[in-house]
Amino acid sequence: MSKKKVNLYPGLPPRLRPFTDADIVCGVDEAGRGPLAGPVFAAAVILDPKRPIEGLRDSKKLSEARRDELAPLIKEHALAWAIAECSCEEIDTLNILHATMLAMRRAVEALSMIPTIALIDGNRCPPMEIRAHAVVEGDDKVNAISAASILAKTARDAALVQLHAQYPQYCFDQHKGYSTALHIERLRLHGPSPVHRRSFAPVRELLQPDLFAA
């Protein structure tokens, strides 16, 4: 009796898929476009149809504990995975959109297996040497993108916890760099750190001498 074929792309009906069964498909997603501090992360994942992972979905819809459970399973079961980032300096130089696209391209290029097509979460694709197709809300439609979403999110959260050890006055371990009331309060109290994104308005405003005194 033959095994039931695993559907790695439950939200993409066959007639809408921009690839064939012969393609090597990687899912790509980012984490950290909105925060005021720290790098933006991206991940790329090629799932193994023979080793399905239960419970994959958009990382934002999973608890932190569940993300932490799934991340090592993805790394163990996937055919290939990679995580990349763009620094806050690159974000300020390129702008957050272009830095995010660059991080995505870096993640795909870092894969140990060369894919033939990348499925990108969102409505636009970074320039790359392989075919790419944008999938709106792909992190909840395509398991490979969901897996990438989880890896990018857990990697970025871990990086912000490390930044908290360097700059404990900002409480990065609690808000992960996002523009929460606590973060804004600490920004106003201590001024921007070297890992804050100076091109983002709340940080840029505090760099003006008439608004912030060292």
Side-chain angles (χ1 to χ4, degrees), residues 16-82:
L16 296 180
R17 294 178 192 172
F19 54 89
T20 69
D21 289 342
D23 278 306
I24 300 173
V25 180
C26 75
V28 185
D29 200 5
E30 54 76 25
R33 286 185 64 170
L36 305 179
V40 61
F41 276 70
V45 178
I46 302 173
L47 291 176
D48 185 351
K50 299 178 181 177
R51 306 186 74 186
I53 303 167
E54 294 294 330
L56 294 177
R57 63 180 311 191
D58 176 5
S59 64
K60 297 185 292 296
K61 297 181 179 179
L62 297 169
S63 68
E64 181 177 0
R66 185 58 177 149
R67 290 195 298 265
D68 289 341
E69 290 175 356
L70 286 169
L73 289 176
I74 294 166
K75 294 176 180 179
E76 178 185 352
H77 290 198
L79 292 173
W81 62 271

Side-chain angles (χ1 to χ4, degrees), residues 110-124:
L111 287 167
S112 59
M113 176 184 294
I114 300 175
T116 58
I117 185 170
L119 300 183
I120 313 292
D121 181 60
N123 60 5
R124 64 180 69 204

Side-chain angles (χ1 to χ4, degrees), residues 33-168:
R33 286 185 64 170
L36 305 179
V40 61
F41 276 70
V45 178
I46 302 173
L47 291 176
D48 185 351
K50 299 178 181 177
R51 306 186 74 186
I53 303 167
E54 294 294 330
L56 294 177
R57 63 180 311 191
D58 176 5
S59 64
K60 297 185 292 296
K61 297 181 179 179
L62 297 169
S63 68
E64 181 177 0
R66 185 58 177 149
R67 290 195 298 265
D68 289 341
E69 290 175 356
L70 286 169
L73 289 176
I74 294 166
K75 294 176 180 179
E76 178 185 352
H77 290 198
L79 292 173
W81 62 271
I83 300 170
E85 64 183 85
C86 267
S87 68
C88 54
E89 292 84 4
E90 289 176 306
I91 292 169
D92 288 335
T93 300
L94 300 173
N95 77 42
I96 185 60
L97 173 61
H98 289 96
T100 300
M101 295 293 108
L102 178 56
M104 287 181 169
R105 192 181 78 199
R106 286 173 174 170
V108 172
E109 291 176 347
L111 287 167
S112 59
M113 176 184 294
I114 300 175
T116 58
I117 185 170
L119 300 183
I120 313 292
D121 181 60
N123 60 5
R124 64 180 69 204
C125 299
M128 57 180 67
E129 294 185 2
I130 63 171
R131 286 182 296 140
H133 182 79
V135 183
V136 175
E137 298 181 353
D139 47 11
D140 232 11
K141 295 178 179 177
V142 180
N143 282 355
I145 299 179
S146 301
S149 171
I150 292 165
L151 291 191
K153 174 63 175 170
T154 53
R156 188 178 190 282
D157 283 356
L160 267 291
V161 171
Q162 292 179 347
L163 287 180
H164 173 70
Q166 293 180 255
Y167 307 100

